[in-house]
């Protein structure tokens, strides 16, 4: 009867091969360094655009990611803008696009014609490229 020890062998005598490279997706913090956003099933690139706001106090410029509302990023950058509902259902944060374009499909207050004329609600507007917006325009919009 053969013993169990006679069927075992040592791997010390086998030739060593270089380990195959293991590539993994970067962690969230690493991905953010390279402008990547991770989702459970995909990895996508995020874009950052320059937003210029023409306010009564003067002109301000700040970078804004394409998945961040302009009002939120302006506040984070330290700029005070008017707002009320933060849901695109009033006109407190109204502005007018001078140059560029935004995605404000989350809003419900503005009519299609108003958006075509350049009206924007900064609380629900994502930049789709570099954009220039005149702010504090609620009175003009509702006049």
């Amino acid at each position: 009867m053969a013993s169990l020890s006679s069927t075992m062998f040592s791997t010390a005598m086998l030739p060593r091969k270089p380990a195959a490279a293991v590539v993994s997706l970067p962690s969230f913090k690493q991905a953010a360094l390279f402008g990547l956003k991770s989702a459970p099933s995909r990895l996508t690139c995020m874009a950052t655009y320059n937003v210029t706001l023409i306010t009564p106090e003067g002109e301000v410029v700040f970078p804004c990611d394409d998945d961040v509302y302009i009002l939120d990023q302006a506040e984070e950058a330290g700029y005070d803008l008017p707002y009320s509902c933060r849901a695109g259902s009033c006109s407190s944060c109204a502005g007018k696009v001078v140059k560029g374009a935004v995605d404000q499909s989350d809003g419900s207050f503005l009519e299609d014609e108003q958006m075509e004329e350049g009206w924007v609600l900064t609380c629900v507007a994502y930049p789709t490229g570099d954009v220039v917006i005149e702010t504090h325009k609620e009175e003009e919009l509702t006049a």
Side-chain angles (χ1 to χ4, degrees), residues 81-96:
L81 294 177
Y83 68 89
S84 181
C85 71
R86 296 184 90 84
S89 59
C90 74
S91 60
S92 296
C93 64
K96 193 134 189 198

Side-chain angles (χ1 to χ4, degrees), residues 18-75:
V22 177
V23 179
S24 65
L25 293 175
S27 71
F28 178 73
K29 289 181 181 179
Q30 290 172 330
L33 292 174
F34 296 102
L36 301 173
K37 296 185 291 189
S38 65
S41 63
R42 67 183 194 279
L43 191 64
T44 59
C45 291
M46 80 177 148
T48 301
Y49 302 109
N50 286 323
V51 174
T52 304
L53 300 178
I54 303 171
T55 71
E57 293 80 33
E59 193 172 289
V60 297
V61 180
F62 57 89
C64 185
D65 293 342
D66 65 351
D67 64 344
V68 177
Y69 290 134
I70 292 172
L71 175 64
D72 292 342
Q73 187 62 43
E75 287 183 331

Side-chain angles (χ1 to χ4, degrees), residues 52-56 70-71 80-98 102 104 107 109-111 114-115 117-125 132-143:
T52 304
L53 300 178
I54 303 171
T55 71
I70 292 172
L71 175 64
D80 290 324
L81 294 177
Y83 68 89
S84 181
C85 71
R86 296 184 90 84
S89 59
C90 74
S91 60
S92 296
C93 64
K96 193 134 189 198
V97 175
V98 175
V102 297
Q104 55 183 330
F109 183 80
L110 295 177
E111 300 292 330
Q114 291 171 313
M115 288 186 281
E117 292 171 3
W119 292 103
V120 61
L121 300 177
T122 59
C123 71
V124 291
V132 178
I133 300 173
E134 292 177 347
T135 64
H136 298 78
K137 294 290 186 181
E138 181 180 26
E139 289 182 18
E140 288 181 35
L141 174 63
T142 57

